[in-house]
Structure formats: structure tokens, C-alpha cells
Amino acid sequence: ENMYFFSDLALTLNEPEERVAPTDSRLRPDQRLMESGRWDEANVEKQRLEEKQRAVRRRREAEAVEALEEGKDYEGYIPLWFERKVDPMTGELICVYKGGYWEAKDKQDWSMCPDIF
């Protein structure tokens, strides 16, 4: 009742975990601030993160326009751990794990991860 009738699973999904990729959403600084009750700081941090995301999107869009003007191909963002494929059963576009995460976690080599926070 005190936990808004969430299940145990729902209550623990956001628990921090050690040795995860620096891009893991559980490491979002605004989220950590919010969960510790520091609402004003969390809101400021959320605004900073959103503006950082917007800047990256604008840069990618500008790169795409520049590539188009020069007649070059532009791949855009390529996810690290997943790739889009067509599901042979449904014909829908799905994301399929392409490997690499668990190996990087074992080695604690996150050098390929972008700085998103």
C-alpha cells in the first residue's frame, strides 16, 4: 500500500547495478537526484540532459544535410548492441541483439559508449 501497489519487480527495476555501461538509464543523474528527493536539482539536470540530446540531434541532422548536398551517404546513429531487422514471421521491423554488451561488461571496456549524460 505504501508503494502504490507496485509489484516487487516494478519496485526493483530501477535499482542501481554496478559494472553496467555508462549509458545505462539507471545511471541518469536526474533520475538519481529525483529518487533521493532532490526535485529542484533533478529538474535542472533533466533540462540539461534534454538540451544535450537536442544538440546531438541537431548536429546529426546538419551532418545528414551536408552529406546529401555533397552526394555522400549518411548512416546516422547506429546502436551499439542492437540492429534493426525484419521479423520473418510478422514482417515487422524489430530490434535484435547483435552482441558485444556482455563481453564489454566482462572486460569493463566501455570505450565505445557515447557520453550521453
Side-chain angles (χ1 to χ4, degrees):
E1 186 176 316
N2 290 335
M3 301 308 273
Y4 308 101
F5 301 101
F6 286 140
S7 68
D8 288 339
L9 174 64
L11 290 171
T12 59
L13 280 175
N14 216 28
E15 287 294 314
E17 181 182 330
E18 294 182 11
R19 302 175 52 84
V20 296
T23 54
D24 190 297
S25 65
R26 293 171 291 183
L27 300 176
R28 276 184 63 126
D30 60 325
Q31 188 170 290
R32 302 274 49 102
L33 288 165
M34 182 191 68
E35 289 185 353
S36 64
R38 297 162 60 188
W39 296 100
D40 292 337
E41 292 170 74
N43 285 324
V44 169
E45 184 62 16
K46 181 176 182 284
Q47 294 298 318
R48 184 192 70 79
L49 287 173
E50 288 174 347
E51 185 50 43
K52 185 174 183 175
Q53 292 169 352
R54 287 185 200 103
V56 169
R57 187 192 70 232
R58 286 190 297 265
R59 180 181 47 95
R60 285 188 183 133
E61 289 171 351
E63 289 171 354
V65 168
E66 184 178 318
L68 181 64
E69 289 172 351
E70 295 175 3
K72 298 178 181 174
D73 289 334
Y74 181 74
E75 289 188 21
Y77 175 73
I78 300 170
L80 290 175
W81 320 119
F82 295 88
E83 59 188 343
R84 290 181 175 240
K85 291 189 174 184
V86 175
D87 185 308
M89 299 294 283
T90 66
E92 294 182 15
L93 194 59
I94 60 172
C95 293
V96 178
Y97 178 64
K98 65 181 180 182
Y101 176 81
W102 299 109
E103 295 81 2
K105 186 173 183 178
D106 286 342
K107 294 177 186 173
Q108 283 298 285
D109 177 11
W110 303 115
S111 59
M112 75 295 293
C113 291
D115 175 19
I116 64 171
F117 302 135

